[in-house]
Amino acid sequence: MINLFVKGLIGAIIVILISLLAKTKYYFLAGMIPLFPTFAVMAHYIAGKANTNAEFKNVLLFGMWSLLPYFAYLLTVYLLHSRETLVVTLFSGIIVWFVVAAPLVYFWQR
């Protein structure tokens, strides 16, 4: 139970940090904060303890490939931000993320 509380607290701190940075002259850092590997470190620790070395390397390799859906999301938002509303732009980015992520997951399992 305490483990879940700590993870939630970390998430809340990150959201507050993003919100504060977005209002400063360093607003661009708000786009980098979510990429800090807070949750990746937790996931890698758990996966590293629960799996063999080969399986853990597979987790890491899949993590590298999973940057492609995130890149597709960012590219979509970048291209649409001046033509659409913010909500439509972000929703479109999410749809593109799923479109790129789904085949990645599908083919990775084969």
Side-chain angles (χ1 to χ4, degrees):
M1 188 64 155
I2 191 87
N3 192 14
L4 291 175
F5 176 76
V6 170
K7 290 175 187 173
L9 183 61
I10 291 170
I13 290 169
I14 290 171
V15 169
I16 291 168
L17 185 58
I18 291 168
S19 179
L20 293 174
L21 276 171
K23 297 174 185 170
T24 71
K25 68 179 183 175
Y26 303 105
Y27 61 89
F28 53 90
L29 290 176
M32 187 175 190
I33 297 299
L35 299 177
F36 185 80
T38 305
F39 297 106
V41 169
M42 287 184 240
H44 293 150
Y45 180 80
I46 293 165
K49 295 290 272 184
N51 297 294
T52 66
N53 285 341
E55 290 168 333
F56 182 57
K57 286 178 80 172
N58 196 34
V59 168
L60 298 173
L61 188 59
F62 183 76
M64 288 183 246
W65 279 99
S66 69
L67 292 172
L68 293 174
Y70 186 67
F71 178 79
Y73 164 82
L74 290 176
L75 182 62
T76 301
V77 172
Y78 181 82
L79 295 173
L80 293 179
H81 85 280
S82 59
R83 290 186 249 157
E84 299 291 342
T85 66
L86 182 58
V87 172
V88 169
T89 298
L90 295 176
F91 184 73
S92 299
I94 291 168
I95 296 299
V96 168
W97 184 93
F98 277 110
V99 166
V100 175
L104 177 64
V105 172
Y106 176 78
F107 286 114
W108 196 266
Q109 294 176 15
R110 295 190 162 274

